[in-house]
Amino acid sequence: MQWIASAAFGLEGLVKRDLERLGADGIRTMNTGGVAFEGDGAMGFKANLWLRTADRVLIEVGRFEARSFEELFEGVKALNWPRFLPRDAAFPVRAQCARSQLMSPRDCQAITKKAVVERLKSAYRLDWLPETGAVHAIDVSIHEDQVVVALDSSGAALSRRGYRTWNGEAPLRETLAAALALLSPWRPSLPLYDPCCGTGTILIEAALIALDRAPGLTRSFDCENWSFMPRDAMADARKAAVERFETAKSRPLDIRGSDIDPEALELAARHVAQAGLTGRIRLEKRDVRDAVLTGEPGVILTNPPYGERLGDKQAAQAVAKALGNLQRQANWPLSALTADRGFERAFGRRADKRRRLYNGRIECEFITFGGSSK
């Protein structure tokens, strides 16, 4: 089958690398975002289980060109829907359009829904479709008049690991937090410190990497309820992931964080507990200006306030200055995600490495001082 791992801008390379490690075939980066790959149902399930920085994993049902709603209807209707959808399937539709003749997502959703209904009613000889069975969400993407129709095998976005049920102010998505750990100079054998840890997402994602725990280990995916997916192979893949974690979970770990906000730290402690990492991540209330690092060299990794999201610009630049002082005192490499254009000036020096990323809709730079990033 043809699969698509969707991902935020700038993270495609990390997704590609993870797919190579999983042994997927035909891996290629897409110009519309995300990474395409080939594999059987078991490979698609493993992608859901193990991809740390992808948003969703989709099965491509078909692609065609459409410049009118009639062409969209006929193109969708011609696809082999009975191969994927049983007679009782629930199939909500979502659509996105960019630089195309068809620019109304709502109309494209309605037309796609109608086309699938007509195809299934004819195939199953039904007058109406109950939609009482497993969810098979349909994703329609139209870019420059090229239509890609897919089934969302993930269900909830892959960022929903299951450990974060409370959100603080301006939460960092889990997939982006994992990307920051992977793109920084940090390695699992090194200490990691986040002096602006907030609700703890960076710390938890780094711990999951260090302990070789699949990010999707404690959650389910829609494809597990699909009749054409290999149930035994999916169960085996999940069992193998559990065994990998059991083997690695006692590894030494030096991951710690601090924050000035007691409410954020309370949420961080809850998230650490929900992730099953109590005792493996250390948290403390501390102003970044009072932070001192000693012992074995490690890496400082953080998502400090930007000014436009948390507090005012002056306060954000005070944090940047304190981070500069901390980095010079400890002589540890420091990586930070920031949208503050004055960050480097307040920090006290130019960054050695930089990379453009997005935190939601906010364009940011991921910058590193000292060390070498991946």
Side-chain angles (χ1 to χ4, degrees):
M1 289 184 281
Q2 302 291 323
W3 299 84
I4 299 169
S6 63
F9 174 84
L11 304 186
E12 300 92 341
L14 294 175
V15 174
K16 182 179 179 182
R17 187 173 66 186
D18 277 349
L19 286 168
E20 289 170 346
R21 289 173 177 168
L22 290 175
D25 295 322
I27 304 169
R28 61 193 186 282
T29 302
M30 303 169 63
N31 58 13
T32 54
V35 181
F37 64 101
E38 300 170 5
D40 59 10
M43 179 55 66
F45 178 76
K46 289 177 185 177
N48 274 302
L49 194 61
W50 281 102
L51 294 183
R52 297 188 185 276
T53 58
D55 293 327
R56 296 180 182 277
V57 176
L58 307 109
I59 300 175
E60 183 178 312
V61 180
R63 60 176 62 215
F64 53 88
E65 187 176 76
R67 291 186 170 86
S68 67
F69 290 130
E70 181 179 358
E71 289 177 342
L72 176 63
F73 178 87
E74 294 299 333
V76 171
K77 186 179 178 182
L79 299 176
N80 188 9
W81 291 107
R83 176 191 176 191
F84 300 102
L85 304 187
R87 62 178 59 222
D88 65 343
F91 50 99
V93 180
R94 63 173 176 260
Q96 53 185 342
C97 311
R99 289 182 282 182
S100 300
Q101 294 294 313
L102 304 179
M103 287 298 293
S104 169
R106 179 173 294 184
D107 288 336
C108 291
Q109 285 175 295
I111 289 165
T112 297
K113 182 79 173 185
K114 181 178 179 181
V116 177
V117 167
E118 292 301 313
R119 181 73 170 89
L120 293 180
K121 284 170 62 176
S122 175
Y124 293 127
R125 299 180 180 177
L126 296 173
D127 293 329
W128 67 282
L129 300 174
E131 294 199 53
T132 55
V135 174
H136 297 64
I138 298 173
D139 183 275
V140 179
S141 176
I142 307 176
H143 182 262
E144 295 182 347
D145 301 326
Q146 299 299 311
V147 182
V148 177
V149 184
L151 285 178
D152 180 0
S153 70
S154 301
L158 295 182
S159 60
R160 302 294 294 273
R161 317 288 208 216
Y163 64 77
R164 194 172 77 179
T165 54
W166 302 275
N167 287 323
E169 190 177 3
L172 187 70
R173 187 175 293 182
E174 294 89 330
T175 44
L176 180 56
L180 301 186
L182 293 168
L183 291 169
S184 76
W186 176 74
R187 304 292 187 275
S189 60
L190 299 175
L192 179 70
Y193 176 53
D194 182 354
C196 307
C197 70
T199 58
T201 310
I202 288 177
L203 304 174
I204 294 171
E205 289 299 320
L208 297 185
I209 293 169
L211 300 177
D212 200 20
R213 192 173 107 180
L217 189 61
T218 60
R219 57 159 287 176
S220 61
F221 308 98
D222 277 2
C223 63
E224 292 177 271
N225 299 315
W226 295 353
S227 59
F228 64 87
M229 290 289 284
R231 294 184 182 276
D232 289 345
M234 291 191 293
D236 289 344
R238 192 177 283 278
K239 180 180 177 182
V242 170
E243 291 172 350
R244 282 179 60 170
F245 174 55
E246 288 295 324
T247 300
K249 70 179 183 179
S250 60
R251 288 175 180 169
L253 206 60
D254 186 355
I255 294 179
R256 47 201 156 118
S258 61
D259 203 282
I260 196 173
D261 183 354
E263 293 183 1
L265 285 172
E266 182 181 352
L267 292 179
R270 292 186 189 183
H271 294 158
V272 168
Q274 292 233 136
L277 296 169
T278 299
R280 306 308 310 274
I281 294 174
R282 288 176 286 168
L283 300 168
E284 65 174 345
K285 182 178 181 297
R286 184 180 294 273
D287 190 314
V288 64
R289 291 171 292 189
D290 299 327
V292 176
L293 290 172
T294 59
E296 290 295 317
V299 173
I300 304 165
L301 176 61
T302 192
N303 176 40
Y306 304 159
E308 60 190 89
R309 299 191 75 185
L310 300 174
D312 59 29
K313 184 72 69 177
Q314 186 176 3
Q317 294 193 354
V319 171
K321 180 180 179 180
L323 289 172
N325 292 335
L326 176 63
Q327 193 272 329
R328 287 185 288 275
Q329 171 267 315
N331 197 27
W332 289 17
L334 182 146
S335 293
L337 181 72
T338 182
D340 182 1
R341 295 185 181 276
F343 184 92
E344 289 169 279
R345 183 173 60 254
F347 188 91
R349 58 168 286 196
R350 297 280 293 174
D352 297 299
K353 302 281 185 179
R354 64 183 71 246
R355 185 185 187 115
R356 184 158 58 107
L357 296 174
Y358 282 84
N359 185 2
R361 295 182 179 275
I362 299 177
E363 183 177 341
C364 299
E365 279 195 318
F366 185 55
I367 53 180
T368 296
F369 303 87
S372 60
S373 62
K374 301 176 190 177

